[in-house]
Amino acid sequence: MAHLFLVKDIAFQAGLSTATVDRVLNGRPGVRRQTEMRVKAAIAELEKQQAGAMGSGRVLAIDIVMETPQRFSDAVRAAFEAEMATFLPGIFRCRFHFAEVMKPAELVQLLDRIRLRGTHGIVLKAPDVAEVAAAVARADAAGIPVVTLVTDLPNSARIAYAGADNRAAGETAAYLIGEFLGDHGGKVLVTLSSGRFRGEEEREIGFRRSIRAQYPNIGITEISEGHGTDAATGTLASAALAADPAINAVYSIGGGNRAVLAAFDAAKRAVGVFVAHDLDADNRALLAARRIGFVLHHDLRTDARSAFRAIMSRAQASGRAVPASLSSVEVITPYNMPASD
């Protein structure tokens, strides 16, 4: 298998041991087809990153670490890859580490591996728990800047947060749903992927506060810990609908929207209004089909740009504080949906 990269770089990109990668590269027996495909995909990713990093100037290799459903990680990957080309001659090379569900111990192990291996920076979407904050502190002590993405770790040693104002996003969702339901009222099914994520908690707080203050005839039922996956989220939504016949609207904070809609269909229940987050491929299709009414969207390329600039700022002036950078939230309907990248 022809390549131009060190075995340790391929192994790190693929998430495999150097011994396993060596077996694959040299065609030795006892390697599963799935493992071989992971090595090929890692080499292809490194080739793409190298092609985007051609030219003069310093190369900053950074690691993007996220616990998130694949539909969102795909959108984040596209945004960071698109922004890399705009930073010549300060060139970035991104290594992506995505998983739909990670235990805190697994996430901490990955962050420590990255720290020990070496990196110019980490962009992190992770739950706000003590062990993750401790891993961020270890990275910062090693001179590695950490920027949180979409969901913050405000009590950690991260140097900046790149994302939207999540409380304002929740308040916007409350306004859309409250004005749509009007005096008829009803009950909103609020879906979270997990209560461990600060960004989702902030959205929920903003939503509840606005509903309570402005739309007291609207109730709220919450489901959580579906991790944005269709199977788990669908099961939780079905149980909530069976338990409460008043539910007639959805505020999807954590995703799994196809599964939520399928639960309403199976129960033969109508959705008065459905507000979702993020203009990923699933939500584009659902919005175009009029299955959901509104998507609260913020530009991930703006977030990527903010993360890059924060890391560059730290590289150029070690120890200098980097202010938080908030991206604006747009209300997207079927009539103003931007073209996909």
Side-chain angles (χ1 to χ4, degrees):
M1 192 181 297
H3 65 93
L4 301 173
F5 308 102
L6 296 175
V7 170
K8 67 178 183 179
D9 287 335
I10 299 172
F12 194 75
Q13 184 70 41
L16 299 169
S17 69
T18 55
T20 298
V21 171
D22 184 71
R23 286 201 302 273
V24 173
L25 295 176
N26 290 286
R28 297 192 180 99
V31 178
R32 293 184 301 170
R33 176 64 175 168
Q34 181 182 11
T35 301
E36 183 180 346
M37 295 304 294
R38 284 177 65 179
V39 172
K40 287 182 177 179
I43 292 173
E45 179 67 31
L46 290 170
E47 288 173 343
K48 183 165 59 173
Q49 293 171 3
Q50 185 182 62
M54 296 299 291
S56 61
R58 182 182 181 187
V59 177
L60 298 177
I62 67 173
D63 292 85
I64 319 297
V65 179
M66 298 176 62
E67 179 188 346
T68 194
Q70 184 177 345
R71 59 182 170 270
F72 187 65
S73 65
D74 286 347
V76 169
R77 179 191 290 266
F80 273 80
E81 289 179 342
E83 280 301 305
M84 274 193 286
T86 70
F87 274 83
L88 293 172
I91 303 169
F92 284 91
R93 172 184 161 195
C94 295
R95 296 180 290 242
F96 298 99
H97 313 272
F98 298 148
E100 292 203 326
V101 181
M102 274 192 282
K103 296 178 181 177
E106 295 170 335
L107 184 56
V108 167
Q109 184 180 47
L110 174 58
L111 291 172
D112 285 339
R113 280 178 53 212
I114 292 170
R115 171 175 55 83
L116 294 171
R117 181 188 186 276
T119 182
H120 290 105
I122 298 172
V123 179
L124 178 64
K125 178 185 180 292
D128 186 12
V129 295
E131 49 264 58
V132 173
V136 171
R138 289 192 291 273
D140 185 73
I144 299 169
V146 178
V147 177
T148 51
L149 180 71
V150 179
T151 182
D152 199 9
L153 304 174
N155 299 315
S156 73
R158 60 96 171 117
I159 64 166
Y161 163 68
D165 182 332
N166 285 303
R167 287 210 185 197
E171 292 165 348
T172 301
Y175 173 78
L176 292 170
I177 290 174
E179 293 298 305
F180 193 96
L181 294 180
D183 294 335
H184 298 291
K187 186 166 282 189
V188 184
L189 179 66
V190 175
T191 73
L192 290 84
S193 69
S194 174
R196 300 175 303 150
F197 288 99
R198 175 63 68 104
E200 294 195 6
E201 180 186 24
E202 293 287 334
R203 291 173 183 177
E204 183 197 18
I205 290 171
F207 182 79
R208 285 184 178 273
R209 182 173 61 188
S210 186
I211 287 290
R212 183 170 58 248
Q214 304 295 330
Y215 310 100
N217 60 332
I218 296 176
I220 295 172
T221 293
E222 176 191 313
I223 60 173
S224 184
E225 307 312 314
H227 302 288
T229 61
D230 285 344
T233 303
T235 298
L236 292 169
S238 294
L241 290 172
D244 194 340
I247 295 173
N248 62 343
V250 177
Y251 175 33
S252 173
I253 295 175
N257 298 331
R258 289 189 183 277
V260 173
L261 288 166
F264 273 87
D265 292 342
K268 295 182 171 55
R269 300 267 289 275
V271 184
V273 59
F274 194 125
V275 177
H277 275 273
D278 305 315
L279 204 56
D280 55 35
D282 270 9
N283 283 342
R284 282 181 174 277
L286 292 173
L287 192 60
R290 309 299 200 271
R291 295 303 313 275
I292 59 180
F294 306 97
V295 172
L296 300 180
H297 171 64
H298 71 279
D299 184 14
L300 290 171
R301 288 191 60 171
T302 298
D303 296 341
R305 196 176 309 126
S306 294
F308 286 151
R309 285 174 176 167
I311 291 170
M312 286 181 68
S313 173
R314 178 68 174 265
Q316 293 166 356
S318 181
R320 188 174 68 183
V322 179
S325 179
L326 299 178
S327 49
S328 61
V329 175
E330 299 177 76
V331 178
I332 304 298
T333 74
Y335 300 100
N336 68 333
M337 193 167 15
S340 58
D341 293 332

